[in-house]
Amino acid sequence: NSKVIQTPRYLVKGQGQKAKMRCIPEKGHPVVFWYQQNKNNEFKFLINFQNQEVLQQIDMTEKRFSAECPSNSPCSLEIQSSEAGDSALYLCASSHRDRGNERLFFGHGTKLSVL
Amino acid sequence: GDQVEQSPSALSLHEGTGSALRCNFTTTMRAVQWFRKNSRGSLINLFYLASGTKENGRLKSAFDSKERYSTLHIRDAQLEDSGTYFCAAVASSGSWQLIFGSGTQLTVMP
């Protein structure tokens, strides 16, 4: 169904540690999204990119996260100093961003546990 | 802010029966996607609609932007249909993000 590849599948970190996860979008998709899904199945938009440029991001992402989508390399999302509340499933999605079809395709996610 | 209200939150069906899930939107949306979260936690694409209806096997979805709702109909439910279903919509104005519903946990019983 989806060819978005996320690594690692699971990530365990202590509080204060950096946590980095990667995403390879589907080939030909210029737009990449990161979402956080908590244990209550609530989705929170974090940031999106078009090619290498940030389109939108929320305040939390701006302050505590660093994210990039360099050309010819996987996209990445890194939490600079993990907190217990960051434990969640981090989902990457990509899209054509064609006005006629803005469908998003999600990867399997990286499940982060902050101990 | 823009909201997506999904119902019901949980649904139990016997094999072979059917039902509908619904998402109401508080503002005009330009497209909707429906997903199923499988047992491994992956979001499986079911439908993308910018208008009208689509059908795929035992699933059928409709989206009415003007009336601000979308539905997902399941007929002849099978055990493997069990999972959590999400709708997610793109607002017509401003930012291009998917706004997710809260999910419907479907259990199909023998």
Side-chain angles (χ1 to χ4, degrees), chain A residues 59-76:
Chain A
D59 193 48
M60 176 181 85
T61 310
E62 201 169 330
K63 289 179 179 171
R64 297 203 302 114
F65 292 55
S66 72
E68 58 177 3
C69 266
S71 62
N72 301 318
S73 290
C75 298
S76 64

Side-chain angles (χ1 to χ4, degrees), chain A residues 1 9 31 33 35 37 40-41 43 45 48 56 89 91 95 97 99-108, chain B residues 30-31 33 35 37 40-45 47-48 54 84 86 90 94-102:
Chain A
N1 191 263
R9 193 71 187 264
V31 184
F33 290 76
Y35 280 85
Q37 187 185 23
N40 295 321
N41 273 334
F43 290 79
F45 166 82
N48 60 357
Q56 299 151 327
L89 181 68
L91 291 161
S95 177
R97 200 181 188 179
R99 262 288 180 161
N101 186 348
E102 296 171 285
R103 179 186 295 214
L104 260 63
F105 293 87
F106 282 85
H108 293 298
Chain B
R30 67 172 182 257
Q33 273 189 260
F35 300 92
K37 189 175 180 181
R40 296 184 65 194
S42 299
L43 282 174
I44 308 299
N45 267 303
F47 292 102
Y48 172 88
K54 285 187 179 178
T84 304
F86 293 94
V90 183
S95 64
W96 181 53
Q97 302 169 20
L98 277 183
I99 305 163
F100 280 82
S102 51

Side-chain angles (χ1 to χ4, degrees), chain B residues 4-91:
Chain B
V4 176
E5 298 159 356
Q6 185 172 347
S7 62
S9 57
L11 180 62
S12 293
L13 294 175
H14 285 286
E15 271 187 297
T17 63
S19 189
L21 284 58
R22 185 178 177 103
C23 284
N24 291 324
F25 312 121
T26 58
T27 188
T28 303
M29 303 293 183
R30 67 172 182 257
V32 67
Q33 273 189 260
W34 283 92
F35 300 92
R36 180 173 63 85
K37 189 175 180 181
N38 67 12
S39 57
R40 296 184 65 194
S42 299
L43 282 174
I44 308 299
N45 267 303
L46 298 176
F47 292 102
Y48 172 88
L49 297 101
S51 65
T53 62
K54 285 187 179 178
E55 193 164 354
N56 184 3
R58 295 177 291 100
L59 298 178
K60 182 177 179 179
S61 183
F63 172 50
D64 190 325
S65 176
K66 186 178 176 185
E67 297 300 323
R68 301 185 181 179
Y69 76 90
S70 178
T71 55
L72 177 69
H73 291 260
I74 301 172
R75 64 175 174 82
D76 188 24
Q78 303 297 305
L79 296 176
E80 60 265 27
D81 294 332
S82 294
T84 304
Y85 290 75
F86 293 94
C87 67
V90 183

Side-chain angles (χ1 to χ4, degrees), chain A:
Chain A
N1 191 263
S2 170
K3 300 178 182 67
V4 177
I5 300 170
Q6 286 189 250
T7 56
R9 193 71 187 264
Y10 301 96
L11 192 55
V12 181
K13 294 290 176 181
Q15 293 192 54
Q17 289 186 315
K18 289 189 178 184
K20 189 168 186 174
M21 53 208 91
R22 290 176 177 82
C23 170
I24 300 175
E26 267 202 44
K27 194 173 181 180
H29 285 188
V31 184
V32 172
F33 290 76
W34 286 98
Y35 280 85
Q36 179 196 67
Q37 187 185 23
N38 64 20
K39 60 182 180 182
N40 295 321
N41 273 334
E42 294 163 336
F43 290 79
K44 179 189 283 185
F45 166 82
L46 296 177
I47 190 168
N48 60 357
F49 291 84
Q50 178 152 348
N51 298 314
Q52 291 83 55
E53 306 241 345
V54 174
L55 291 176
Q56 299 151 327
Q57 62 182 321
I58 62 170
D59 193 48
M60 176 181 85
T61 310
E62 201 169 330
K63 289 179 179 171
R64 297 203 302 114
F65 292 55
S66 72
E68 58 177 3
C69 266
S71 62
N72 301 318
S73 290
C75 298
S76 64
L77 178 71
E78 184 174 39
I79 305 173
Q80 297 302 305
S81 178
S82 301
E83 300 173 357
D86 295 329
S87 295
L89 181 68
Y90 288 83
L91 291 161
C92 175
S94 69
S95 177
H96 278 296
R97 200 181 188 179
D98 178 336
R99 262 288 180 161
N101 186 348
E102 296 171 285
R103 179 186 295 214
L104 260 63
F105 293 87
F106 282 85
H108 293 298
T110 292
K111 186 170 182 180
L112 172 66
S113 298
V114 181
L115 306 176

